[in-house]
Amino acid sequence: MAIRPAEQLIHKAAWLYYAHGLRQDQVASQLNISRASVAMYLRKARETGIVNISTSTQLFTDDVLARKLEDVLSLDAVWIAPENDHIADPSTEIAVLAASVFLELVKKGDRIGVAWGRTVYMIADVMSYADLQDVTVVQLCGNLGAPYSYRPDQCTMEIARRLNAKGLNFYAPLVLSTEELARALRAEPVIREQLSGVSECDLALYSVGAVDADSHLVKCGALTPSEMADLRSQGAAGVIAGQIIDAEGKVLDCSYNRRVISAELASLRAIARRLVVVQEDSKFEPLLAAIAGGLCTHLVVGAHMAQRLLDHAAATIEKAS
Amino acid sequence: MAIRPAEQLIHKAAWLYYAHGLRQDQVASQLNISRASVAMYLRKARETGIVNISTSTQLFTDDVLARKLEDVLSLDAVWIAPENDHIADPSTEIAVLAASVFLELVKKGDRIGVAWGRTVYMIADVMSYADLQDVTVVQLCGNLGAPYSYRPDQCTMEIARRLNAKGLNFYAPLVLSTEELARALRAEPVIREQLSGVSECDLALYSVGAVDADSHLVKCGALTPSEMADLRSQGAAGVIAGQIIDAEGKVLDCSYNRRVISAELASLRAIARRLVVVQEDSKFEPLLAAIAGGLCTHLVVGAHMAQRLLDHAAATIEKAS
DNA sequence: TGCCCAGTTTGACTTTTGTCGAGAGCCGTG
DNA sequence: CACGGCTCTCGACAAAAGTCAAACTGGGCA
């Protein structure tokens, strides 16, 4: 009985413990193993998603602020992570909340589009394991060759791993050196298929990038700081799935965008649930752009950002009237 | 701060403990309360479904036997509760499994039809709490006035309570004394509406009753033992949602059925997922009838029953060839 | 006002659970 | 066939969680 402790035993232990409510020693005697082993199995069961512990995120939508934001920005749902009191690290708080919200939004059989970035990777990192075998996680945009730690494929694969789902990477560079090459590559059947499959997603997860020298696009060499500054003066307001958008949330008409291999914004908008998570307060304008462009239906932000959004909306309405 | 500890605190405690993985004493100090209170809050959180602990029921479908049954009976999914070894009470085991399976099948926004009986009530009784606010549980058949403990409305309400969902009872007797009255009552707008709403359900939960003197219908006075025996000789093979069905799973043409207020079998068949749970080995024939009538897409049974079903199917095929 | 009640909170205690290092079986390899 | 390397397992200890009766709280009521 020392061969292959196997899923089987883990399952049984988890079943007896969590579903029947037995104590670990009772489980141990039923299964003829030591209690220590049971404890270990149970940990594994939790880690692999055989048991699922999830907490309602309702607390964060019950907030009046969240409700107001939903109304004023016409979003389906908003979650606000508290930042006021002795919270050690608000950005972690946001990531943890976003991970829970994400898991709550996923349904069996879903196809999920995932973009990339520090925020997305942080969410993946704190996401608890689940066992969603008939779920597919697809990468929304091309890869960056640069030795950068939040690569699009890493984000996709990590989330797929956590969910025990199928991961669908796509191996094209995010940005090419000429528009021609980008066009040609987009026409490739493999790539075209992947791109057209995006609109069949049921759920999307992304953050939004800022248009400044700290942007990921600059850090990993897709754009130089001066190019970025140029784009900014041309009206660039944010970055979504590797593409530059203007203040209205439309793709900016520029060479860079034409050289990018990524899901079209129209495809993104075709996804029913679009979860946008923003950690940094500095991403206020990019977020406004994303919302303006209808790229967001579900939003997770910190309390401070939420307040800014609400104030801004109020000011806009006042000005209009 | 002693006023209304409220959901708020429970939510926060649950969040810090389960989502952030803090220890109870850390949660206690964050929230400025004693660890004992935290422990109590966490229990409440579990009881009210603010946190959800669920275990994958895959173990029970992985069974080869389950796979074979799915094939041979053309069912969508089969779960088999083990009965072989030192399991104390196989019927409880089946109920616990059925409850887990049920919870796994429920999706947000679902409308769920629930019938009645000892089995259904047992399932409700062991079902863990969940917080599915946009779920509606509807009663599939009329009530029994008799002082019987597994009344249809009780089954419905208990499941709704566990799920924190809306319960939709319907207050008509299950069986009337004359066909005329039954017809008249069925024509009542309130009742008609409820009955026609059944086919809009996404999920149904019921067991199947035996046609003998031990049947609930006899025990609660809807039928006398001799009437039951009569029906049996007329071809009655089982009871579904208070109605007598024949071996082919069709409604038996008899006075009793015409006097019953319950969801029509056609409405039941219109429900995409029909979870049938059978505990007693004696319900072999009724179950066969239900399956024959297409009243079952998802099945939970004990190992012994599963084997009988498979043997029977094998024999039938052999005979046919 | 003073008293009682229902529900909360707490400290102290017990029980349950997590973890560690050591030991045992298995396997491929030299 | 003996040897490490590997993983699984166990016993014992430390840490964490559950429990209970007693104290407390604020609000309703005579």
Side-chain angles (χ1 to χ4, degrees):
Chain A
M1 78 183 167
I3 322 158
R4 287 259 71 189
E7 299 273 288
Q8 198 76 350
L9 260 187
I10 300 182
H11 257 107
K12 278 195 184 174
W15 178 251
L16 292 171
Y17 187 75
Y18 287 105
H20 280 263
L22 298 187
R23 273 184 276 106
Q24 292 190 356
D25 51 0
Q26 297 178 296
V27 175
S29 68
Q30 276 248 352
L31 267 45
N32 279 336
I33 50 177
S34 78
R35 226 207 60 262
S37 298
V38 173
M40 198 203 53
Y41 287 163
L42 293 179
R43 183 161 41 74
K44 278 197 180 169
R46 284 187 299 260
E47 280 171 1
T48 54
I50 288 171
V51 317
N52 234 309
I53 302 185
S54 63
T55 70
S56 156
T57 55
Q58 204 168 275
L59 173 62
F60 306 98
T61 19
D62 273 359
D63 207 316
V64 274
L65 186 51
R67 278 283 138 74
K68 283 189 196 163
L69 271 185
E70 288 167 15
D71 283 353
V72 86
L73 300 175
S74 307
L75 300 178
D76 289 344
V78 173
W79 291 262
I80 299 178
E83 286 174 326
N84 31 22
D85 30 19
H86 32 65
I87 302 277
D89 180 1
S91 73
T92 302
E93 181 70 21
I94 293 174
V96 172
L97 174 57
S100 281
V101 166
F102 176 77
L103 285 172
E104 213 163 85
L105 290 176
V106 177
K107 284 214 293 263
K108 269 196 163 184
D110 273 359
R111 186 180 172 93
I112 303 167
V114 169
W116 66 297
R118 199 178 54 84
T119 300
V120 171
Y121 196 78
M122 271 184 81
I123 293 169
D125 199 48
V126 297
M127 189 174 290
S128 60
Y129 290 80
D131 192 14
L132 302 163
Q133 288 165 325
D134 50 353
V135 160
T136 310
V137 181
V138 308
Q139 188 174 327
L140 287 179
C141 57
N143 283 297
L144 278 134
Y148 196 55
S149 37
Y150 324 116
R151 293 192 334 250
D153 57 327
Q154 282 182 319
C155 289
T156 309
M157 286 322 282
E158 183 58 23
I159 289 178
R161 192 175 74 82
R162 299 276 174 151
L163 265 47
N164 200 4
K166 209 164 34 171
L168 231 66
N169 284 109
F170 94 81
Y171 288 107
L174 173 63
V175 57
L176 299 163
S177 49
T178 71
E179 298 180 18
E180 234 127 67
L181 187 50
R183 250 195 312 273
L185 201 49
R186 271 195 288 264
E188 273 300 301
V190 193
I191 305 292
R192 203 174 49 201
E193 212 168 282
Q194 171 104 15
L195 288 176
S196 65
V198 166
S199 44
E200 281 159 29
C201 286
D202 305 287
L203 172 63
L205 169 68
Y206 40 78
S207 186
V208 56
V211 181
D212 55 29
D214 280 343
S215 160
H216 294 156
L217 295 181
V218 172
K219 280 195 191 152
C220 61
L223 284 168
T224 64
S226 70
E227 284 173 322
M228 200 55 139
D230 264 8
L231 286 169
R232 191 173 178 79
S233 66
Q234 285 170 44
V239 181
I240 288 267
Q243 290 159 97
I244 311 277
I245 57 171
D246 64 18
E248 289 174 355
K250 291 193 210 121
V251 178
L252 193 73
D253 182 29
C254 63
S255 154
Y256 169 81
N257 274 339
R258 286 189 292 269
R259 289 183 287 119
V260 161
I261 306 277
S262 181
E264 285 179 38
L265 296 193
S267 304
L268 294 184
R269 274 189 288 260
I271 301 174
R273 288 163 282 151
R274 285 151 267 160
L275 178 60
V276 174
V277 181
V278 176
Q279 295 181 305
E280 301 91 340
D281 261 358
S282 61
K283 290 189 178 169
F284 179 62
E285 278 165 35
L287 176 54
L288 277 182
I291 293 173
L295 294 165
C296 170
T297 60
H298 296 64
L299 177 66
V300 176
V301 289
H304 188 232
M305 175 68 91
Q307 192 57 57
R308 274 180 80 179
L309 284 171
L310 192 61
D311 292 347
H312 173 84
T316 309
I317 290 169
E318 207 170 303
K319 204 160 30 171
S321 68
Chain B
M1 76 183 167
I3 322 158
R4 290 258 69 191
E7 299 275 286
Q8 197 75 350
L9 260 187
I10 300 182
H11 257 106
K12 278 195 184 173
W15 178 250
L16 292 171
Y17 187 75
Y18 287 106
H20 279 262
L22 298 187
R23 275 185 277 105
Q24 291 191 354
D25 51 1
Q26 296 178 296
V27 175
S29 69
Q30 276 250 352
L31 267 45
N32 277 336
I33 51 178
S34 77
R35 222 204 62 263
S37 297
V38 173
M40 199 205 53
Y41 288 162
L42 293 179
R43 183 161 38 75
K44 279 197 180 170
R46 284 186 300 261
E47 280 170 1
T48 54
I50 289 171
V51 318
N52 234 312
I53 302 186
S54 63
T55 70
S56 157
T57 56
Q58 202 164 273
L59 174 60
F60 305 98
T61 21
D62 272 1
D63 207 317
V64 274
L65 187 51
R67 277 286 138 74
K68 282 190 196 164
L69 271 185
E70 288 167 14
D71 284 353
V72 87
L73 300 176
S74 306
L75 300 178
D76 289 345
V78 173
W79 291 261
I80 298 177
E83 287 174 326
N84 31 21
D85 30 18
H86 33 65
I87 302 277
D89 180 1
S91 73
T92 302
E93 182 69 21
I94 293 173
V96 171
L97 174 57
S100 280
V101 167
F102 177 77
L103 285 172
E104 213 164 83
L105 289 176
V106 177
K107 285 214 294 261
K108 268 196 164 183
D110 272 359
R111 185 181 175 92
I112 303 167
V114 168
W116 65 298
R118 198 177 55 85
T119 300
V120 172
Y121 196 78
M122 271 184 81
I123 294 169
D125 199 48
V126 297
M127 190 175 290
S128 59
Y129 291 81
D131 192 15
L132 302 163
Q133 287 165 326
D134 50 354
V135 160
T136 310
V137 181
V138 309
Q139 188 174 327
L140 286 180
C141 56
N143 282 299
L144 276 134
Y148 196 55
S149 38
Y150 323 116
R151 294 194 330 253
D153 58 326
Q154 282 182 318
C155 290
T156 309
M157 287 321 282
E158 184 58 23
I159 290 178
R161 193 174 74 82
R162 299 276 174 151
L163 264 46
N164 199 5
K166 209 163 36 172
L168 231 65
N169 283 107
F170 94 81
Y171 288 107
L174 173 63
V175 58
L176 298 163
S177 49
T178 72
E179 297 179 19
E180 234 127 63
L181 187 50
R183 252 196 311 273
L185 200 52
R186 269 195 289 262
E188 273 298 302
V190 193
I191 305 292
R192 204 176 47 201
E193 214 168 281
Q194 172 102 15
L195 287 176
S196 67
V198 166
S199 44
E200 281 159 30
C201 285
D202 305 288
L203 173 62
L205 170 68
Y206 39 79
S207 186
V208 58
V211 182
D212 56 30
D214 280 342
S215 160
H216 294 157
L217 294 182
V218 172
K219 279 194 192 153
C220 62
L223 283 168
T224 64
S226 69
E227 285 174 320
M228 200 54 140
D230 263 9
L231 286 169
R232 193 175 175 76
S233 66
Q234 284 170 45
V239 181
I240 288 267
Q243 292 160 95
I244 310 276
I245 57 170
D246 63 19
E248 288 175 356
K250 292 192 207 120
V251 179
L252 193 73
D253 183 29
C254 62
S255 155
Y256 168 82
N257 273 341
R258 285 189 293 266
R259 289 183 288 119
V260 161
I261 307 277
S262 180
E264 285 179 36
L265 296 193
S267 304
L268 294 184
R269 274 189 287 259
I271 301 173
R273 288 163 282 150
R274 286 151 266 160
L275 178 61
V276 173
V277 181
V278 176
Q279 295 181 306
E280 301 92 338
D281 260 359
S282 61
K283 290 189 178 168
F284 178 62
E285 278 165 34
L287 177 53
L288 277 182
I291 294 174
L295 294 165
C296 169
T297 60
H298 297 63
L299 177 66
V300 176
V301 288
H304 188 231
M305 176 68 92
Q307 192 58 57
R308 274 181 81 180
L309 284 171
L310 192 60
D311 291 348
H312 173 85
T316 308
I317 290 168
E318 209 170 301
K319 205 160 31 174
S321 68

